[in-house]
Amino acid sequence: TAEDFERAWRASSQHRELEQQLAAFASQVAEDKRSGEIRDFVNHSKMGQRARSPYISTFGFQARLLLRRQLLIAWGARAEHALVFFTYCAFAALTALSFMNLEADSESVRIRGSLLFLILSFVALAEESTVPKTLENRRVNLKHKRGAYFHPAALTLVEALLDLVLGAIKCLLFAVIVYFATEMVGTAGHFFTFYLQLATLCACMVAFFRSLGLALPTVDIALTVSGVTLLLWITLSGYMQSTGGMRVYMRWISFVNPLAWSMRGLLADQLGAVDIVCSGTNLVPSGPGFDNIAYQVCTLAGALPGQLTVRGADYLSQSMQVYVEDKWRRYYVAVVGFWLLFVALSAVASEYIEYDIMVGSAIVSKRRKTAVEPLTEDLVSD
């Protein structure tokens, strides 16, 4: 058995000779003080790090090198990024064809809202592929962490920065195609507000899915959690059912939902700046002979008696509890806050969370033969 081999080795002359060599080396190191010199050299080369820190370079230096490395990796995967850009453009073209030339009347109000809801849902669903990518790279990053190559948090922050850049490119292509084909509010301010909301949400969702990939043990658990969470966020984003109309025990989800805050921001940007013309069945009574607005009423929320148009801001405040004056100070700031929160969670998870499944495995076979006779020193020497 293994114990018999160990006893035979410890009783052998080779073991005693090895012990003498080790003791001689230890005494020699103590005499010439080379170990102290080596420790001093390592400590002086640590670029200001703590003496007990395993890293020899600063956090900022590591981040600069990692930024260069991640740029090279992104350039090497340019075919994959090109495919993602093409997917965004293709979906934008399909969406533009489906919602082309929307009118600013009461019959198009819900259609405009559906367009914004579809755009946000696509951005959220498209970035879910971050989960398996993160889990795939986690084993390599763990080896680098144990080798003290760099802080995992530095890599997480660099990846978040690159996500902002790539998300800005994707969303710019998407926004240019969709925005002008569907005839949204035709001013530069409203376009860039729409684009900024979209790009920030894209980076926020990538950070959320990366935090799940770093915090959860397996891809099955991570995809299950991300899928259920995303389903709740899309369903309770405030469009299919307004926040005021939700059950009390479900309403809190809208406050921890970046999709809901982004949806409110886009609604305030696009519908809050237009005057909605009442038409069709939204005028009561309607039909031949009913053409005097003094004897008709508009059924849209926020309508005033005797007026054919409804301010978009009044419609949003009374029907969806969305307020135009909060477009930046609440809705956009909330999405940025969620992005910062998910980036921080990703950094903490990469630094402190490890699973046994991330470590290399070993195959242990059951012994099938009977134990051999114990070895002696004479047998070992033979």
Side-chain angles (χ1 to χ4, degrees):
T1 63
E3 291 77 8
D4 297 330
F5 277 106
E6 181 183 1
R7 284 193 295 270
W9 162 249
R10 291 185 179 278
S12 65
S13 59
Q14 290 90 343
H15 179 264
R16 290 191 294 270
E17 182 180 354
L18 179 60
E19 289 286 347
Q20 294 173 0
Q21 292 176 359
L22 291 174
F25 178 76
S27 62
Q28 180 183 357
V29 170
E31 291 175 0
D32 60 16
K33 300 180 180 180
R34 290 291 297 168
S35 60
E37 294 178 4
I38 293 174
R39 290 193 188 95
D40 293 337
F41 173 77
V42 172
N43 291 334
H44 285 301
S45 63
K46 281 194 171 185
M47 300 175 63
Q49 291 284 3
R50 302 187 312 272
R52 299 183 62 182
S53 174
Y55 302 102
I56 63 172
S57 58
T58 61
F59 191 91
F61 184 77
Q62 294 174 16
R64 289 195 297 272
L65 293 182
L66 287 171
L67 178 59
R68 180 182 178 185
R69 190 192 77 165
Q70 292 304 115
L71 288 173
L72 292 175
I73 292 176
W75 177 253
R78 56 187 179 276
E80 178 183 351
H81 294 303
L83 179 61
V84 174
F85 294 159
F86 173 77
T87 302
Y88 267 73
C89 292
F91 187 83
L94 292 174
T95 305
L97 290 174
S98 301
F99 295 88
M100 186 173 290
N101 298 329
L102 291 178
E103 300 292 337
D105 56 19
S106 58
E107 295 183 352
S108 300
V109 169
R110 297 295 296 180
I111 299 177
R112 285 179 179 270
S114 300
L115 171 62
L116 300 177
F117 176 74
L118 180 63
I119 291 172
L120 293 183
S121 300
F122 168 75
V123 171
L125 290 169
E127 302 306 329
E128 195 174 8
S129 60
T130 306
V131 174
K133 291 179 183 177
T134 303
L135 285 157
E136 181 181 357
N137 297 331
R138 194 167 61 179
R139 187 184 298 271
V140 176
N141 294 336
L142 178 61
K143 292 181 179 179
H144 292 170
K145 174 185 175 182
R146 293 185 172 179
Y149 293 169
F150 53 80
H151 281 279
L155 176 61
T156 302
L157 296 179
V158 168
E159 288 177 335
L161 179 62
L162 289 179
D163 292 337
L164 278 177
V165 177
L166 293 175
I169 298 173
K170 291 184 293 188
C171 292
L172 179 61
L173 298 173
F174 187 91
V176 168
I177 296 173
V178 170
Y179 196 91
F180 297 105
T182 56
E183 293 191 6
M184 295 187 186
V185 181
T187 63
H190 287 88
F191 169 76
F192 284 108
T193 301
F194 172 83
Y195 165 63
L196 195 59
Q197 288 272 5
L198 209 60
T200 307
L201 178 68
C202 180
C204 180
M205 297 308 298
V206 173
F208 167 69
F209 291 128
R210 179 171 287 114
S211 66
L212 292 182
L214 291 171
L216 299 177
T218 64
V219 65
D220 295 330
I221 296 176
L223 286 176
T224 301
V225 173
S226 65
V228 173
T229 305
L230 195 57
L231 179 62
L232 285 174
W233 281 357
I234 292 176
T235 305
L236 301 177
S237 61
Y239 174 71
M240 290 188 290
Q241 186 180 19
S242 65
T243 305
M246 296 179 185
R247 299 287 184 179
V248 177
Y249 51 83
M250 298 294 289
R251 193 176 301 169
W252 65 271
I253 297 179
S254 65
F255 296 102
V256 295
N257 183 357
L259 282 174
W261 293 106
S262 187
M263 185 69 190
R264 295 177 190 131
L266 290 181
L267 287 172
D269 178 60
Q270 292 301 312
L271 290 181
V274 298
D275 291 330
I276 306 169
V277 180
C278 284
S279 62
T281 56
N282 293 115
L283 281 174
V284 179
S286 61
F290 297 98
D291 53 2
N292 191 342
I293 190 60
Y295 302 100
Q296 293 176 300
V297 64
C298 182
T299 58
L300 283 181
L304 297 176
Q307 293 189 7
L308 189 61
T309 60
V310 180
R311 292 178 65 247
D314 296 335
Y315 169 75
L316 289 176
S317 62
Q318 296 190 25
S319 63
M320 300 183 183
Q321 292 77 50
V322 174
Y323 304 98
V324 177
E325 59 271 15
D326 293 336
K327 177 172 59 176
W328 289 107
R329 68 183 182 186
R330 288 189 60 190
Y331 304 148
Y332 182 73
V333 171
V335 180
V336 174
F338 276 110
W339 176 71
L340 294 175
L341 173 64
F342 294 144
V343 170
L345 291 177
S346 300
V348 172
S350 63
E351 284 281 354
Y352 298 107
I353 296 181
E354 295 182 10
Y355 294 100
D356 293 338
I357 195 172
M358 297 164 60
V359 184
S361 59
I363 299 176
V364 179
S365 300
K366 183 179 179 180
R367 188 180 184 88
R368 297 185 178 181
K369 295 183 180 180
T370 58
V372 299
E373 294 294 328
L375 292 178
T376 63
E377 182 177 355
D378 295 333
L379 292 176
V380 174
S381 61
D382 291 340

